[in-house]
């Protein structure tokens, strides 16, 4: 299995055709889906017929440089969720979205911050990315906290997408966070 990225505690690999059950379990947890679907699980047939094929197609589209990657604990190999670093489907390759979805067992352990920080390093040093962005619901303080810890800042308030209007707090909208390569380089220069 190819390794896309490895941190001290987490290893990212491309998903494979046989990984549908991992995604079904992840998207079947109401707490994981709270700010995405209001807690409604993603139907297994959608994971198998839509989500996983889209993930796999992304590896071809971006020649493995970008995509959505399965995350495993480096020690022990437990599946913890996924992380993405990818441009929008028809967007420029120098602007990439940072995202993550973690199993409840992985919450509060610092994995999101650890891997997001490493993905920013990869984006800005290996992939010629100029700007990384992420979006989250206004009520999702945990996700906002991760983006803030890795140096991203709010650039705009976002309306709630139509398919998320049933989600708790949807009336509050969300936020788009960004960090540019120049901002990231300045932050790195200030680190001891």
């Amino acid at each position: 299995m190819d390794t896309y990225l490895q941190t001290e505690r987490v290893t990212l690999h491309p998903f494979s055709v046989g990984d549908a059950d991992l995604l079904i379990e992840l998207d079947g947890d109401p707490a994981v889906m709270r700010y995405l679907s209001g807690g409604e699980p993603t139907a297994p047939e959608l994971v198998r017929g839509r989500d996983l094929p889209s993930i796999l197609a992304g590896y071809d589209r971006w020649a493995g440089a970008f995509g959505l990657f399965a995350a495993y604990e480096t020690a022990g190999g437990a599946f913890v969720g996924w992380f993405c670093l990818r441009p929008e489907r028809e967007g420029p390759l120098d602007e990439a979205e940072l995202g993550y979805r973690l199993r409840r067992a992985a919450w509060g352990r610092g994995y999101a911050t650890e891997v997001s920080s490493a993905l920013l390093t990869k984006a800005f040093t290996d992939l010629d990315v100029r700007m990384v962005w992420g979006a989250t619901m206004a009520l999702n303080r945990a996700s906002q906290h991760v983006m803030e810890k890795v140096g991203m800042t709010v650039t705009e308030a976002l309306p709630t997408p139509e398919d998320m209007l049933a989600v708790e707090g949807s009336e509050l909208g969300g936020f788009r966070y960004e960090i540019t390569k120049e901002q990231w380089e300045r932050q790195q220069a200030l680190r001891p």
Side-chain angles (χ1 to χ4, degrees):
M1 188 182 306
D2 294 335
T3 297
Y4 179 73
L5 180 82
Q6 185 167 346
T7 68
E8 181 180 340
R9 300 179 300 151
V10 180
T11 303
L12 301 186
H13 299 286
F15 277 100
S16 67
V17 174
D19 288 335
D21 288 344
L22 296 174
L23 292 168
I24 290 167
E25 179 210 340
L26 182 66
D27 284 12
D29 184 334
V32 170
M33 301 303 289
R34 177 180 176 193
Y35 296 117
L36 301 164
S37 66
E40 283 295 314
T42 304
E45 59 272 13
L46 287 178
V47 171
R48 287 190 179 93
R50 177 194 70 191
D51 298 344
L52 187 55
S54 176
I55 291 167
L56 299 176
Y59 303 139
D60 290 335
R61 179 181 307 114
W62 298 303
F66 298 101
L68 190 144
F69 299 93
Y72 297 88
E73 289 179 341
T74 303
F79 176 70
V80 297
W82 58 252
F83 287 83
C84 77
L85 181 67
R86 61 185 177 189
E88 295 202 59
R89 189 176 295 266
E90 303 300 325
L93 294 180
D94 67 347
E95 294 182 9
E97 175 189 15
L98 172 69
Y100 37 85
R101 187 171 304 168
L102 301 180
R103 295 176 69 210
R104 254 194 284 185
W107 291 2
R109 299 178 70 184
Y111 290 156
T113 301
E114 178 179 324
V115 176
S116 294
S117 179
L119 285 169
L120 289 178
T121 299
K122 184 175 184 76
F124 294 134
T125 62
D126 297 345
L127 299 174
D128 288 328
V129 171
R130 177 187 57 80
M131 186 267 295
V132 173
W133 64 275
T136 187
M137 297 288 291
L139 281 187
N140 192 347
R141 282 296 305 146
S143 188
Q144 293 167 38
H145 188 62
V146 169
M147 287 189 261
E148 291 161 4
K149 282 179 79 171
V150 299
M152 300 173 79
T153 57
V154 173
T155 57
E156 67 178 304
L158 298 173
T160 302
E162 282 191 36
D163 63 340
M164 294 174 66
L165 290 176
V167 174
E168 166 193 0
S170 64
E171 70 280 2
L172 303 173
F175 299 107
R176 178 180 170 108
Y177 281 76
E178 293 181 2
I179 187 170
T180 65
K181 181 176 183 175
E182 292 75 22
Q183 290 167 330
W184 178 83
E185 287 173 338
R186 282 196 300 274
Q187 290 173 5
Q188 299 310 300
L190 295 174
R191 292 198 169 158

